[in-house]
Amino acid sequence: MLDAILAHYNYWLIIILMMIGLYIVISRGNLVKKIVGLNIFQTSVFLLYITLAKVTGGTAPILTGKPEIFSNPLPHVLILTAIVVGIATTALGFALVVRIRESYGSIEEDDILAAERAEEEIAVKEALS
Amino acid sequence: MSLLFEHMAALQVAVPLLSAPVCSLLRGGRQPWFLALAVSWFAFFASISLLIQVLDSGDISYHMGNWAPPFGIEYRVDAINAFVLLIISGISAVALPYARLSVAHEVDPRRHGQFYTAYLLCLTGLLGGTITGDAFNIFVFLEISSLSAYVLVAAGARQDRRALTAAYNYLVLGTVGATFFVIGIGLLYMVTGTLNITDLAERLPPLVDNRAVQAGFAFIIVGMGLKLAMFPMHTWLPNAYTYAPSTVTVFLASTATKVSVYVVLRFLFTVFGPSYGFVGLTFEYIFLPLAILAMFIGSAAAIYQTNLKRLFAYSSVAQLGYMVLGIALGNVAGLTATVLHLFNHALMKGALFMALGCVALRIGAVSINGVRGLGREMPWTFAAIAGAGLSLIGVPSTVGFISKWYLILGALENGWWPVAVLIVASSLLAVIYVWKIIEAAYFGAAPEGRGPVSEAPLEMLAPLWLMVVANFYFGIDADLTTSVAGKVAATFLGGGS
């Protein structure tokens, strides 16, 4: 049992990282921290791809003419794309947080929800009057 | 000319993608809108020609950059994705003539270049995710469309600042969904060593009992379930649709969730297959109860809304329930209903959100009390809401009826008559919320202090009525849509797995 865990220690670390990220997204009320959680979550997936590309004894896939074992380069390329997507997501997320801060004066979910609820109540009252 | 048709599959995606940066360079005036319109019409033309090619001479396999699959990226067009491409580009082609006045009213004029750039990128992502035959490519294209969709939703902030928080929540949940999808793809790649969908389908059968394959399947379904707003993962949808600019709501409500439904269909039936034990189980124990809950909770929540955009957003959650229900039935009639409803729901919600955009142009907010008495002042707009509303309920001679007819046939074929009863019962809930609007608009007294309101301009009414007429036309003459949908369902259940 312990051997099985140790032999796949990289996967266990990735799963722990994944859960930390997802937990932060769910539990934190601070909008910036949520994005940080999202980043950790995405990074764990990048590591998952990188780790599955590793071939024991393999080197970087550069053709030198000598017979060598190469690591699989395809997941690396895929993850390069995913990293770009991740950066775009983070940038857009922070841009939205800046705009939210400008119009609500807070980046705490509770404050924002309270402000929205107050607005909603005014709208309903106006609608009913 | 033949060269053009030979590369139609690539042009379908490349033209919107390449015109997006051009659009961002255009400033002010009508230019960005005109470019987006021209590109949409080209995409519509391309998707029609692809559908004709597929129906005439079978599936198209286009090798990107002439690299043969499974090493290169393959664009694979068959009946189902040609049909979904037609829905996306068709809605875009109708929505853009409508967009000019609505966007001019709701979005900062200095931002029009960027707005239409985001729109074109969203279109690119949706078309690309549909046409591609490569699993990782689906993720990349869906993220292109989602990222631009977040921007488009946030563009509603000029009207209501809640658009920002709606876009933020959409971003967080959308990214979690996409990341789940990538984990799933990674697990499948780990075991099979391929990303090409056709290749995956060939290599998976001997690996059915592999735990990584089963976990990958679960990750893919949950990830896409988030993107398609499958109940109870729909929480991002109502606010995003409510606070986005009207044109964006029209476009996203009719296309974005449909592409996710398509991806789920693709994975369920082409990559995996209902004959795999763990896939069959999800139909009955996960899709069926969630679909029924979506139908009732979505409709019930819609009844209590005062904001009309949010009302129809909740109704979308219910309608997505019908699509998932069709999958859960697992027979040809049920799947036909799902594929048909992709098209039919795009027509209904396109028309309804367009009509609400007309109202928003004239009176600003679209609350149930705000529209009191408007039926007399905006007769064409509200006649359109009534017409599309009938279709949403599923009255005979509308498209809504055709979808529900096949759903009920599918339920009866399985001997699940309580499900058939529930389909009818949930349609009655739709009667309540549609009637609420009709009653307010036609029988309510105008609120005090509202001056005379003029009818929406012809430029917006014409696309709106085109959609309403399509709701009735395809409800009476359903040959084209049902034959394509039936063909798709038969291939999925016959040749699949």
Side-chain angles (χ1 to χ4, degrees):
Chain A
M1 180 65 195
L2 192 65
D3 285 347
I5 292 174
L6 288 176
H8 295 104
Y9 73 94
N10 43 353
Y11 291 104
W12 289 104
L13 291 177
I14 289 164
I15 290 169
I16 291 167
L17 202 57
M18 205 178 265
M19 291 305 115
I20 291 173
L22 203 54
Y23 179 75
I24 294 174
V25 175
I26 297 166
S27 66
R28 294 295 113 172
N30 183 306
L31 300 188
V32 173
K33 287 183 183 166
K34 264 182 195 290
I35 301 271
V36 172
L38 210 53
N39 255 310
I40 295 174
F41 181 50
Q42 285 180 314
T43 308
S44 73
V45 180
F46 303 161
L47 289 174
L48 173 73
Y49 271 74
I50 300 301
T51 196
L52 70 88
K54 178 67 184 166
V55 176
T56 314
T59 64
I62 302 164
L63 287 176
T64 52
K66 280 178 276 179
E68 275 178 303
I69 304 170
F70 298 128
S71 282
N72 185 352
L74 183 69
H76 299 171
V77 180
L78 296 178
I79 279 328
L80 212 52
T81 318
I83 289 172
V84 174
V85 171
I87 290 171
T89 312
T90 311
L92 182 59
F94 283 146
L96 283 172
V97 174
V98 170
R99 289 290 305 274
I100 289 171
R101 171 84 168 72
E102 279 170 8
S103 54
Y104 289 85
S106 171
I107 54 166
E108 290 296 331
E109 207 171 30
D110 295 343
D111 299 347
I112 295 165
L113 278 176
E116 288 193 344
R117 215 165 281 141
E119 263 173 56
E120 191 80 8
E121 270 163 27
I122 294 167
V124 170
K125 257 179 215 153
E126 269 173 15
L128 293 177
S129 64
Chain B
M1 211 46 190
S2 71
L3 193 70
L4 179 72
F5 284 101
E6 208 178 299
H7 294 286
M8 201 49 104
L11 290 173
Q12 172 87 76
V13 181
V15 169
L17 180 64
L18 295 178
S19 53
V22 176
C23 191
S24 71
L25 297 176
L26 299 174
R27 284 280 174 272
R30 294 184 178 194
Q31 293 164 359
W33 167 76
F34 188 76
L35 180 67
L37 180 74
V39 169
S40 284
W41 283 1
F42 171 79
F44 188 42
F45 161 74
S47 66
I48 292 175
S49 94
L50 283 175
L51 184 64
I52 292 172
Q53 272 187 60
V54 167
L55 292 181
D56 282 353
S57 47
D59 299 0
I60 303 168
S61 163
Y62 182 88
H63 304 167
M64 246 321 145
N66 227 354
W67 292 88
F71 305 108
I73 287 173
E74 179 192 19
Y75 277 11
R76 196 172 184 88
V77 193
D78 56 12
I80 170 89
N81 58 7
F83 189 58
V84 177
L85 288 173
L86 183 77
I87 298 171
I88 301 164
S89 58
I91 292 289
S92 179
V94 181
L96 273 166
Y98 166 94
R100 193 179 67 86
L101 288 175
S102 180
V103 171
H105 177 69
E106 293 175 14
V107 179
D108 186 347
R110 286 171 304 167
R111 297 260 178 264
H112 282 188
Q114 283 122 323
F115 178 86
Y116 286 109
T117 305
Y119 181 94
L120 283 173
L121 285 174
C122 191
L123 180 67
T124 308
L126 295 173
L127 292 170
T130 308
I131 203 170
T132 185
D134 183 278
F136 198 82
N137 225 219
I138 293 181
F139 158 73
V140 175
F141 274 119
L142 283 188
E143 278 310 273
I144 293 177
S145 77
S146 298
L147 282 165
S148 43
Y150 312 144
V151 175
L152 289 172
V153 169
R158 194 178 174 224
Q159 304 282 308
D160 193 321
R161 64 180 183 173
R162 277 171 286 184
L164 297 171
T165 46
Y168 180 87
N169 285 332
Y170 187 10
L171 179 134
V172 170
L173 288 174
T175 307
V176 170
T179 311
F180 267 59
F181 183 69
V182 191
I183 297 173
I185 301 288
L187 290 172
L188 292 188
Y189 178 75
M190 197 186 272
V191 183
T192 61
T194 182
L195 291 167
N196 184 292
I197 284 180
T198 327
D199 214 26
L200 267 176
E202 280 168 17
R203 294 193 194 187
L204 275 177
L207 300 164
V208 193
D209 294 324
N210 189 305
R211 197 60 68 79
V213 170
Q214 298 179 352
F217 172 77
F219 272 115
I220 290 171
I221 297 300
V222 174
M224 277 299 128
L226 252 167
K227 289 254 174 194
L228 79 79
M230 185 159 85
F231 184 85
M233 297 179 277
H234 65 282
T235 47
W236 57 268
L237 184 143
N239 274 354
Y241 284 11
T242 308
Y243 301 116
S246 304
T247 308
V248 175
T249 313
V250 170
F251 184 60
L252 290 184
S254 324
T255 57
T257 47
K258 309 293 173 293
V259 173
S260 306
V261 174
Y262 155 77
V263 174
V264 167
L265 284 172
R266 181 58 90 201
F267 274 91
L268 280 178
F269 294 101
T270 307
V271 176
F272 297 90
S275 55
Y276 294 4
F278 61 92
V279 178
L281 283 179
T282 50
F283 284 24
E284 212 167 313
Y285 293 105
I286 296 179
F287 287 160
L288 183 68
L290 289 184
I292 290 172
L293 282 173
M295 280 153 50
F296 281 91
I297 296 179
S299 300
I303 292 172
Y304 292 101
Q305 298 307 317
T306 50
N307 182 318
L308 298 187
K309 270 175 109 179
R310 188 179 277 141
L311 184 153
F312 284 123
Y314 272 108
S315 143
S316 278
V317 174
Q319 299 285 326
L320 286 160
Y322 290 123
M323 292 177 213
V324 177
L325 180 65
I327 300 175
L329 293 175
N331 53 31
V332 172
L335 265 186
T336 309
T338 300
V339 177
L340 269 177
H341 209 50
L342 292 177
F343 180 77
N344 295 346
H345 181 244
L347 288 182
M348 312 169 189
K349 278 291 149 60
L352 285 167
F353 281 120
M354 274 183 176
L356 291 184
C358 292
V359 177
L361 182 78
R362 287 297 184 238
I363 64 166
V366 281
S367 65
I368 187 83
N369 287 51
V371 301
R372 272 185 303 170
L374 269 186
R376 290 181 290 275
E377 296 184 80
M378 299 177 78
W380 287 99
T381 307
F382 279 90
I385 291 186
L390 287 177
S391 183
L392 192 65
I393 296 165
V395 174
S397 88
T398 61
V399 288
F401 176 72
I402 310 275
S403 316
K404 282 183 187 158
W405 175 253
Y406 276 97
L407 265 183
I408 291 175
L409 280 184
L412 293 179
E413 196 183 313
N414 279 9
W416 295 352
W417 60 266
V419 175
V421 173
L422 291 174
I423 295 167
V424 177
S426 68
S427 304
L428 294 178
L429 292 177
V431 177
I432 300 176
Y433 60 73
V434 172
W435 173 251
K436 225 176 83 167
I437 302 167
I438 302 296
E439 188 188 18
Y442 286 99
F443 304 104
E448 280 172 40
R450 187 176 75 204
V453 179
S454 56
E455 180 54 275
L458 183 66
E459 202 180 324
M460 290 168 78
L461 282 180
L464 166 62
W465 272 89
L466 186 67
M467 296 288 269
V468 175
V469 170
N471 265 297
F472 285 90
Y473 176 80
F474 289 106
I476 295 166
D477 178 16
D479 280 351
L480 176 73
T481 47
T482 46
S483 68
V484 174
K487 193 178 160 187
V488 168
T491 4
F492 271 168
L493 288 171
S497 99

Coordinates of all heavy atoms in Angstrom, one line a residue, chain B residues 47 50-60 76-87 130 262 266 339 342 480-481 483-492:
Chain B
S47 N -21.4 27.4 -43.4 CA -22.0 26.3 -42.7 C -23.1 25.7 -43.6 O -23.2 24.4 -43.6 CB -22.5 26.7 -41.4 OG -23.6 27.6 -41.6
L50 N -21.2 23.5 -46.0 CA -20.7 22.3 -45.4 C -21.8 21.3 -45.1 O -21.7 20.1 -45.4 CB -20.1 22.6 -44.0 CG -18.7 23.2 -44.1 CD1 -18.2 23.6 -42.7 CD2 -17.7 22.3 -44.7
L51 N -23.0 21.8 -44.7 CA -24.1 20.9 -44.4 C -24.5 20.2 -45.7 O -24.8 19.0 -45.7 CB -25.3 21.6 -43.8 CG -26.5 20.7 -43.4 CD1 -26.1 19.8 -42.3 CD2 -27.7 21.6 -42.9
I52 N -24.6 20.9 -46.8 CA -25.0 20.3 -48.1 C -24.0 19.3 -48.5 O -24.4 18.2 -48.9 CB -25.2 21.4 -49.2 CG1 -26.3 22.3 -48.8 CG2 -25.3 20.8 -50.6 CD1 -26.5 23.5 -49.7
Q53 N -22.7 19.6 -48.4 CA -21.7 18.7 -48.7 C -21.8 17.4 -47.9 O -21.7 16.3 -48.5 CB -20.3 19.2 -48.5 CG -19.7 20.0 -49.6 CD -18.2 20.4 -49.2 OE1 -17.4 19.6 -49.0 NE2 -18.0 21.7 -49.2
V54 N -22.0 17.5 -46.6 CA -22.1 16.4 -45.7 C -23.3 15.5 -46.1 O -23.2 14.3 -46.2 CB -22.2 16.8 -44.2 CG1 -22.6 15.7 -43.4 CG2 -20.8 17.3 -43.8
L55 N -24.5 16.2 -46.3 CA -25.7 15.4 -46.6 C -25.6 14.7 -48.0 O -26.1 13.6 -48.2 CB -26.9 16.3 -46.6 CG -27.3 16.8 -45.2 CD1 -28.5 17.7 -45.3 CD2 -27.5 15.7 -44.2
D56 N -24.8 15.4 -48.9 CA -24.7 14.8 -50.3 C -23.7 13.7 -50.3 O -23.9 12.6 -50.8 CB -24.3 15.8 -51.3 CG -25.5 16.7 -51.7 OD1 -26.6 16.3 -51.3 OD2 -25.3 17.7 -52.4
S57 N -22.5 14.0 -49.7 CA -21.4 13.0 -50.0 C -20.7 12.5 -48.7 O -19.6 12.1 -48.8 CB -20.4 13.7 -50.9 OG -20.1 15.0 -50.5
G58 N -21.4 12.5 -47.6 CA -20.8 11.9 -46.4 C -19.9 12.9 -45.7 O -19.6 14.0 -46.1
D59 N -19.3 12.3 -44.6 CA -18.5 13.1 -43.7 C -17.3 13.7 -44.4 O -16.7 13.2 -45.3 CB -17.9 12.2 -42.5 CG -19.1 11.7 -41.7 OD1 -20.2 12.0 -42.1 OD2 -18.8 10.9 -40.8
I60 N -16.9 14.9 -43.9 CA -15.7 15.6 -44.4 C -14.6 15.5 -43.4 O -14.8 15.7 -42.2 CB -16.0 17.1 -44.6 CG1 -17.2 17.3 -45.6 CG2 -14.7 17.8 -45.2 CD1 -17.7 18.7 -45.6
R76 N -13.3 17.5 -38.5 CA -14.2 16.4 -39.0 C -15.7 16.9 -39.0 O -16.2 17.2 -37.9 CB -14.0 15.2 -38.1 CG -14.6 14.0 -38.8 CD -14.3 12.7 -38.1 NE -14.8 11.6 -38.9 CZ -14.1 11.0 -39.9 NH1 -12.9 11.4 -40.1 NH2 -14.7 10.1 -40.6
V77 N -16.3 17.0 -40.1 CA -17.7 17.5 -40.2 C -18.6 16.3 -40.5 O -18.4 15.6 -41.5 CB -17.8 18.6 -41.2 CG1 -19.1 19.3 -41.1 CG2 -16.7 19.5 -41.2
D78 N -19.5 16.0 -39.6 CA -20.5 15.0 -40.0 C -21.9 15.7 -39.8 O -22.0 16.9 -39.5 CB -20.4 13.7 -39.2 CG -20.4 14.0 -37.7 OD1 -20.7 15.1 -37.3 OD2 -20.0 13.0 -36.9
A79 N -23.0 15.0 -39.9 CA -24.3 15.6 -39.8 C -24.5 16.4 -38.6 O -25.0 17.6 -38.6 CB -25.4 14.5 -40.0
I80 N -24.1 15.9 -37.4 CA -24.4 16.7 -36.2 C -23.6 17.9 -36.1 O -24.2 19.0 -35.8 CB -24.2 15.8 -34.9 CG1 -24.3 16.6 -33.6 CG2 -22.9 15.1 -34.9 CD1 -25.6 16.8 -33.1
N81 N -22.3 17.9 -36.3 CA -21.7 19.2 -36.1 C -22.0 20.2 -37.3 O -22.0 21.4 -37.1 CB -20.2 19.1 -35.7 CG -19.3 18.4 -36.6 OD1 -19.7 18.0 -37.7 ND2 -18.1 18.2 -36.2
A82 N -22.3 19.7 -38.5 CA -22.7 20.6 -39.5 C -24.0 21.3 -39.1 O -24.2 22.5 -39.4 CB -22.9 19.8 -40.8
F83 N -24.8 20.6 -38.5 CA -26.1 21.1 -38.0 C -25.9 22.2 -36.9 O -26.5 23.2 -36.9 CB -27.0 20.0 -37.5 CG -28.4 20.3 -37.2 CD1 -29.2 20.9 -38.1 CD2 -28.9 20.1 -35.9 CE1 -30.5 21.2 -37.9 CE2 -30.2 20.4 -35.6 CZ -31.1 20.9 -36.6
V84 N -25.0 21.8 -36.0 CA -24.7 22.8 -34.9 C -24.0 24.1 -35.5 O -24.3 25.2 -35.0 CB -23.9 22.2 -33.8 CG1 -23.5 23.2 -32.7 CG2 -24.7 21.0 -33.2
L85 N -23.1 23.9 -36.4 CA -22.5 25.0 -37.1 C -23.5 25.9 -37.7 O -23.5 27.1 -37.6 CB -21.5 24.5 -38.2 CG -20.2 23.9 -37.7 CD1 -19.5 23.3 -39.0 CD2 -19.3 24.9 -37.0
L86 N -24.5 25.3 -38.3 CA -25.6 26.0 -39.0 C -26.4 26.9 -37.9 O -26.7 28.0 -38.2 CB -26.5 25.1 -39.7 CG -27.6 25.7 -40.5 CD1 -27.1 26.3 -41.8 CD2 -28.8 24.8 -40.8
I87 N -26.6 26.2 -36.8 CA -27.4 27.0 -35.7 C -26.6 28.2 -35.3 O -27.1 29.3 -35.3 CB -27.6 26.1 -34.5 CG1 -28.5 24.9 -34.9 CG2 -28.3 26.8 -33.4 CD1 -28.6 23.8 -33.8
T130 N -16.9 23.3 -32.3 CA -17.9 22.4 -32.9 C -17.3 21.6 -34.0 O -17.5 20.4 -34.2 CB -19.1 23.2 -33.4 OG1 -19.6 24.0 -32.4 CG2 -20.2 22.2 -33.9
Y262 N -23.6 19.8 -27.5 CA -23.0 19.0 -28.6 C -21.8 18.3 -28.1 O -21.6 17.1 -28.5 CB -22.7 20.0 -29.8 CG -21.6 19.4 -30.6 CD1 -21.9 18.4 -31.6 CD2 -20.3 19.8 -30.5 CE1 -20.8 17.8 -32.3 CE2 -19.3 19.3 -31.3 CZ -19.5 18.3 -32.2 OH -18.5 17.8 -32.9
R266 N -21.1 14.3 -28.3 CA -20.0 13.8 -29.0 C -19.2 12.8 -28.1 O -18.9 11.7 -28.6 CB -19.1 14.9 -29.4 CG -17.9 14.6 -30.2 CD -18.1 13.9 -31.4 NE -18.3 14.7 -32.6 CZ -18.9 14.3 -33.7 NH1 -19.5 13.1 -33.8 NH2 -19.0 15.1 -34.7
V339 N -31.4 16.8 -30.3 CA -30.8 17.5 -31.4 C -31.7 18.5 -32.0 O -31.3 19.6 -32.3 CB -30.3 16.5 -32.5 CG1 -29.7 17.2 -33.7 CG2 -29.3 15.5 -31.9
L342 N -31.9 21.6 -29.8 CA -30.7 22.5 -30.0 C -31.1 23.6 -30.9 O -30.9 24.8 -30.7 CB -29.5 21.8 -30.6 CG -28.8 20.7 -29.8 CD1 -27.7 20.1 -30.6 CD2 -28.2 21.3 -28.5
L480 N -37.1 19.1 -42.8 CA -35.6 19.3 -42.9 C -35.0 19.1 -41.5 O -34.1 18.2 -41.4 CB -35.3 20.8 -43.3 CG -33.9 21.1 -43.3 CD1 -33.2 20.5 -44.5 CD2 -33.7 22.6 -43.4
T481 N -35.5 19.7 -40.5 CA -34.9 19.6 -39.2 C -35.0 18.1 -38.6 O -34.0 17.6 -38.1 CB -35.4 20.6 -38.2 OG1 -36.9 20.5 -38.2 CG2 -35.0 22.0 -38.5
S483 N -35.4 15.4 -40.3 CA -34.6 14.4 -41.0 C -33.1 14.4 -40.6 O -32.5 13.4 -40.4 CB -34.8 14.5 -42.5 OG -34.2 15.7 -43.0
V484 N -32.6 15.7 -40.4 CA -31.2 15.8 -40.0 C -31.0 15.2 -38.6 O -30.2 14.4 -38.3 CB -30.7 17.2 -40.0 CG1 -29.3 17.3 -39.4 CG2 -30.7 17.8 -41.4
A485 N -32.0 15.6 -37.7 CA -31.9 15.1 -36.3 C -32.0 13.6 -36.2 O -31.3 13.0 -35.5 CB -32.9 15.9 -35.4
G486 N -33.0 13.1 -37.0 CA -33.2 11.7 -37.0 C -32.0 10.9 -37.5 O -31.6 9.9 -36.9
K487 N -31.3 11.5 -38.5 CA -30.2 10.8 -39.1 C -29.0 10.8 -38.0 O -28.4 9.8 -37.8 CB -29.7 11.6 -40.3 CG -28.7 10.9 -41.2 CD -28.4 11.8 -42.4 CE -27.0 11.3 -42.9 NZ -26.5 12.0 -43.9
V488 N -28.9 11.9 -37.3 CA -27.8 12.0 -36.3 C -28.1 11.0 -35.2 O -27.2 10.3 -34.8 CB -27.8 13.5 -35.7 CG1 -27.0 13.5 -34.5 CG2 -27.4 14.5 -36.7
A489 N -29.3 11.0 -34.7 CA -29.7 10.1 -33.6 C -29.4 8.6 -34.1 O -28.9 7.8 -33.3 CB -31.1 10.2 -33.2
A490 N -29.8 8.3 -35.3 CA -29.6 6.9 -35.8 C -28.1 6.6 -35.8 O -27.7 5.5 -35.4 CB -30.2 6.7 -37.1
T491 N -27.2 7.5 -36.3 CA -25.8 7.2 -36.4 C -25.2 7.0 -35.0 O -24.4 6.2 -34.7 CB -25.0 8.4 -37.0 OG1 -25.8 9.4 -37.3 CG2 -24.2 7.9 -38.2
F492 N -25.7 7.9 -34.1 CA -25.1 7.9 -32.7 C -25.5 6.5 -32.1 O -24.6 5.9 -31.4 CB -25.7 9.0 -31.8 CG -25.0 10.2 -31.9 CD1 -25.5 11.4 -31.4 CD2 -23.7 10.3 -32.4 CE1 -24.8 12.6 -31.4 CE2 -23.0 11.4 -32.5 CZ -23.5 12.6 -32.0

